[in-house]
Amino acid sequence: MKKIILSLLVPLGVSLGVSGLAFAKGDAEAGKAKATTCTACHGATGVSATPNYPNIAGQGERYLIKQIKEIKSGVRSVPEMTPFVAKLSDQDIEDISAFYASQTAAKGVADPEKVALGEKLFRFGDAKKAIPACSACHSPTGQGNFLAGFPHISGQHPAYTEKQLKEFREGIRVNDGDSKTMRMVAEKLSNKEVEALASYISGLQ
């Protein structure tokens, strides 16, 4: 199992290192003013009232910068966001990301009936299917890895997490780097496993 995890983590680290993303700390106060157009979908502090839109409060700054830039460039396709990010400068993106990163992350509740399977996959993976533990990159509590750019996923809406896992599985979302780590993992997950993981992740504290 350790070999499986290492084989996925090493190339992912390399892909992040050569992505060309230079991490720069933004101004959270300036970002608050610039984020007014984001509130309709993501809420005033980055906690969305609509499960189709992600909670981004407390998300890693580096991760947010990467996603916004890739949505702007078209590397990641999110049509509903494209008009809002098209005119953002790099400084705008860094400031907005700093603002949301400074906010308190959302908390969710897991479906008790899905906890057992979700916890098993998140904490231990599935050696028979060559699925590594999600906690290896996202931490045991789902807080992610700020420096590595691995996202904070605890407290996320289950519907949103399900959608992302399925889009990675189906090759709709492809911005997980040259290592294709998320695509490699997601393609081995059944719908039942995706739903269990999404629910368990939502309830992580």
Side-chain angles (χ1 to χ4, degrees):
M1 188 59 181
K2 289 181 179 178
K3 290 182 178 179
I4 294 171
I5 293 173
L6 286 173
S7 68
L8 291 173
L9 289 180
V10 171
L12 182 57
V14 172
S15 71
L16 285 169
V18 298
S19 67
L21 176 65
F23 177 70
K25 188 170 179 61
D27 182 331
E29 192 59 35
K32 181 178 181 179
K34 295 176 180 180
T36 54
T37 57
C38 309
T39 60
C41 295
H42 296 292
T45 63
V47 178
S48 172
T50 306
N52 291 335
Y53 300 125
N55 293 322
I56 54 177
Q59 183 57 269
E61 197 169 339
R62 178 173 179 172
Y63 180 78
L64 287 172
I65 292 171
K66 178 179 186 290
Q67 298 309 308
I68 297 172
K69 286 186 174 181
E70 290 184 349
I71 292 168
K72 179 181 177 180
S73 69
V75 171
R76 179 179 174 187
S77 177
V78 184
E80 56 267 45
M81 273 193 69
T82 303
F84 299 100
V85 301
K87 296 182 179 180
L88 294 178
S89 67
D90 286 351
Q91 188 62 57
D92 292 336
I93 292 170
E94 289 160 11
D95 292 344
I96 290 170
S97 297
F99 167 66
Y100 284 120
S102 71
Q103 301 303 297
T104 302
K107 293 183 179 180
V109 179
D111 181 342
E113 295 184 3
K114 298 176 181 177
V115 166
L117 177 57
E119 181 178 25
K120 173 182 175 294
L121 290 166
F122 188 87
R123 295 181 61 192
F124 309 109
D126 187 334
K128 291 182 180 179
K129 296 173 70 174
I131 298 174
C134 306
S135 58
C137 290
H138 297 287
S139 89
T141 56
Q143 303 300 303
N145 185 317
F146 176 76
L147 293 176
F150 300 141
H152 177 134
I153 56 175
S154 64
Q156 189 57 264
H157 295 299
Y160 180 77
T161 301
E162 278 185 42
K163 184 174 185 288
Q164 299 313 302
L165 287 172
K166 288 177 179 178
E167 288 192 351
F168 275 125
R169 184 179 67 186
E170 295 161 16
I172 296 171
R173 181 173 173 182
V174 296
N175 71 324
D176 52 339
D178 295 336
S179 62
K180 302 180 182 180
T181 302
M182 285 303 303
R183 281 171 281 177
M184 289 171 60
V185 171
E187 69 181 9
K188 299 167 186 173
L189 296 171
S190 66
N191 284 340
K192 181 179 180 180
E193 290 170 330
V194 166
E195 291 168 8
L197 266 174
S199 176
Y200 179 73
I201 286 168
S202 180
L204 278 172
Q205 302 289 328

